[in-house]
Amino acid sequence: MTTPLVQVEDLTIDFGTVRAVDGLSFTLEAGAALGVVGESGSGKSASASALLGLHRGTGARVTGTVRVAGTDVGAADEAQLRALRGGKAAMVFQDPLSSLDPYYTVGDQIAEVYRVHNSVSRRAARARAVEVLDRVGIPDAARRARSRPHEFSGGMRQRALIAMALACEPRLIVADEPTTALDVTVQAQILDLLHDLRRETGMGLLLVTHDVGVAAESVDDILVMRHGRAVERGPVSEVLGAPSRPYTRELLASVPRLDGGRVGGPGPGAAPPGAGPLLEAVGLRREFGRGARRVTAVDGVSLTVRAGETLGIVGESGSGKTTLGRMLVRLEDPTAGRLRYGGREIGSLPEKDLRPFRRELQMVFQDPVASLNPRRSVGESVADPLRAAGETDETRIRDRVSGLLERVGLDAGRYERYPHEFSGGQRQRIGIARVLAAEPKLIVCDEPVSALDVTTQAQVIALLAELQGELGIGLVFIAHDLAVVRQVSDRVAVMRQGRIVEQGAVDEVYGSPQDPYTQQLLAAVPTLDPAHAAARRATRSELAAA
């Protein structure tokens, strides 16, 4: 009987009084792929870090046994750990910018990793760096090896991290949310790359993800975690096709699907058929820079939004989605074009004349941490729009804020708490409460759920649908996740390179996409059917080889 590549027995990890991992046991055979899935806080990443001994020296208390490629991680000395990390096992993290040094070229960083584990010359190490960059699909690898991380796109940076992991031909790669921040097409490319590398090299893969669809595309077995414990484990087709545990069924039910219906629907405040648009953009254009460095971020976009309806805007990074959204609420000034709100031209109004419209046009941002002041209580942040509108009675302010917190599903008693005391989903709810305090007529949501796990994502989407139904708010929902946009939208606009290439009723665009780019985006969305995923991967491989 062969020894497993990874053997974890009764792993427990405590951070102070918090138990992150509670008696976890699993194995991974050489050449196999295991997906570890669960919500934020389930212990996925803490468990993955334990495989390389990354908790050592952090103050975490780790008990149990972890063996990786013949190394007892808990008992290993520093030299043995150095030999394990990068040599026998390597980790690919979620955020490549925090893993790559901005001051050194990508090639030099990969070469340095190679030299740590091999007695070779600098020239040989640089040659190895070019070799692995070429292997992970970086075009013109010899030249791009001399580039620094900021000169790479997000997808290329992630490929560079995978190249660094491959440099010493490890037996195991641990990938912790490697595609979370990527567009669906780039995500598909990275998942295909990991699959091909595993097939060619025989390495094992441990994939940590909160996206069940990503796991379905990439692994043989799935381990579902909750509250630090293993809930269910088995072949990916069995766990996803016929889950045995209620929590797994709940998790799968929360996954947005392309064939799903809209959550909620037009409420009593929706505009009647034939009513004029609440917001109308005609030929909107936005340029940045001057002369030869001028960049057109949005190029002649026209769209409408009616009260009580949701317009979804989808596209890859750099397509102009966020710039367009900021123009719609006049956080960015259009370079050209017209913008009408309630029949009035607001696109060319100076700031002093925009003030009457500021309360009615609001934006929910992607990162609630960045949009909440860490030094102020959440109650005070939610109260800001009330004070800006002239409210001075502190009793009325507190009552109104408490009601808004409860309205978005939070305890009003947490008024005095600070942002760091809330989870990601709760902070997004706080951001929504603050927007509601202004009593808006239109809200632009810019990637409001992209950083959330699927169950929290579903809760926030349901909340937005409920609020829209009650208040008749017009919503513009910007996202790169097409399945999420399918859930929330009445109509959808697809953006590419600053232009809208296709728009229409969501059922028509998703059911019968006309533009090749829309077809490409939809074909890249992860599926929960492993057999279907394998067929699509084969098709993508054939198209790439053609």
Side-chain angles (χ1 to χ4, degrees), residues 260-329:
R262 189 197 192 287
V263 174
L278 178 66
L279 186 76
E280 184 178 17
V282 180
L284 276 192
R285 184 179 180 88
R286 176 60 168 150
E287 298 174 350
F288 294 98
R290 295 180 179 179
R293 296 188 176 183
R294 181 176 297 173
V295 174
T296 301
V298 176
D299 188 5
V301 166
S302 299
L303 54 81
T304 60
V305 185
R306 290 179 168 77
E309 77 165 358
T310 300
L311 172 68
I313 299 178
V314 299
E316 297 175 289
S317 297
S319 63
K321 307 186 303 295
T322 293
T323 300
L324 174 60
R326 291 175 64 86
M327 279 197 291
L328 294 180
V329 295

Side-chain angles (χ1 to χ4, degrees), residues 302-522:
S302 299
L303 54 81
T304 60
V305 185
R306 290 179 168 77
E309 77 165 358
T310 300
L311 172 68
I313 299 178
V314 299
E316 297 175 289
S317 297
S319 63
K321 307 186 303 295
T322 293
T323 300
L324 174 60
R326 291 175 64 86
M327 279 197 291
L328 294 180
V329 295
R330 279 303 310 273
L331 293 179
E332 293 277 1
D333 296 330
T335 304
R338 299 194 305 277
L339 183 65
R340 299 190 189 98
Y341 169 70
R344 295 187 59 183
E345 172 62 44
I346 65 168
S348 57
L349 289 181
E351 180 59 35
K352 63 182 180 65
D353 296 328
L354 276 173
R355 289 171 190 160
F357 302 98
R358 286 295 183 201
R359 291 190 66 179
E360 297 186 12
L361 299 171
Q362 291 287 318
M363 194 161 190
V364 175
F365 297 94
Q366 175 177 355
D367 183 4
V369 176
S371 57
L372 293 171
N373 189 331
R375 296 181 177 84
R376 302 181 69 214
S377 73
V378 299
E380 288 302 299
S381 290
V382 174
D384 282 344
L386 302 176
R387 292 198 169 95
E391 180 62 74
T392 58
D393 187 302
E394 290 301 317
T395 300
R396 283 203 295 266
I397 288 174
R398 192 172 187 99
D399 287 346
R400 172 70 172 145
V401 170
S402 296
L404 286 167
L405 291 174
E406 291 177 348
R407 182 67 199 81
V408 298
L410 297 173
D411 181 359
R414 304 183 76 181
Y415 186 108
E416 302 294 349
R417 299 289 183 90
Y418 289 84
H420 73 272
E421 299 178 80
F422 294 83
S423 68
Q426 289 173 331
R427 285 193 291 260
Q428 197 58 283
R429 288 171 182 266
I430 293 164
I432 293 170
R434 183 173 59 181
V435 162
L436 291 177
E439 299 181 346
K441 299 292 179 60
L442 181 130
I443 301 175
V444 173
C445 301
D446 186 15
E447 298 276 10
V449 298
S450 63
L452 307 179
D453 54 60
V454 289
T455 49
T456 308
Q457 196 176 81
Q459 292 164 5
V460 172
I461 288 170
L463 171 64
L464 288 170
E466 185 179 341
L467 292 170
Q468 183 182 47
E470 289 183 12
L471 305 175
I473 299 168
L475 286 179
V476 177
F477 196 97
I478 298 170
H480 66 262
D481 189 326
L482 280 81
V484 168
V485 170
R486 176 71 182 84
Q487 277 194 312
V488 303
S489 304
D490 301 296
R491 293 183 298 111
V492 64
V494 181
M495 288 194 71
R496 186 186 192 191
Q497 298 176 350
R499 295 176 174 270
I500 291 179
V501 298
E502 185 166 0
Q503 67 174 311
V506 68
D507 289 339
E508 294 175 4
V509 173
Y510 278 67
S512 182
Q514 301 301 303
D515 191 87
Y517 178 68
T518 309
Q519 296 167 5
Q520 177 187 347
L521 286 180
L522 291 170

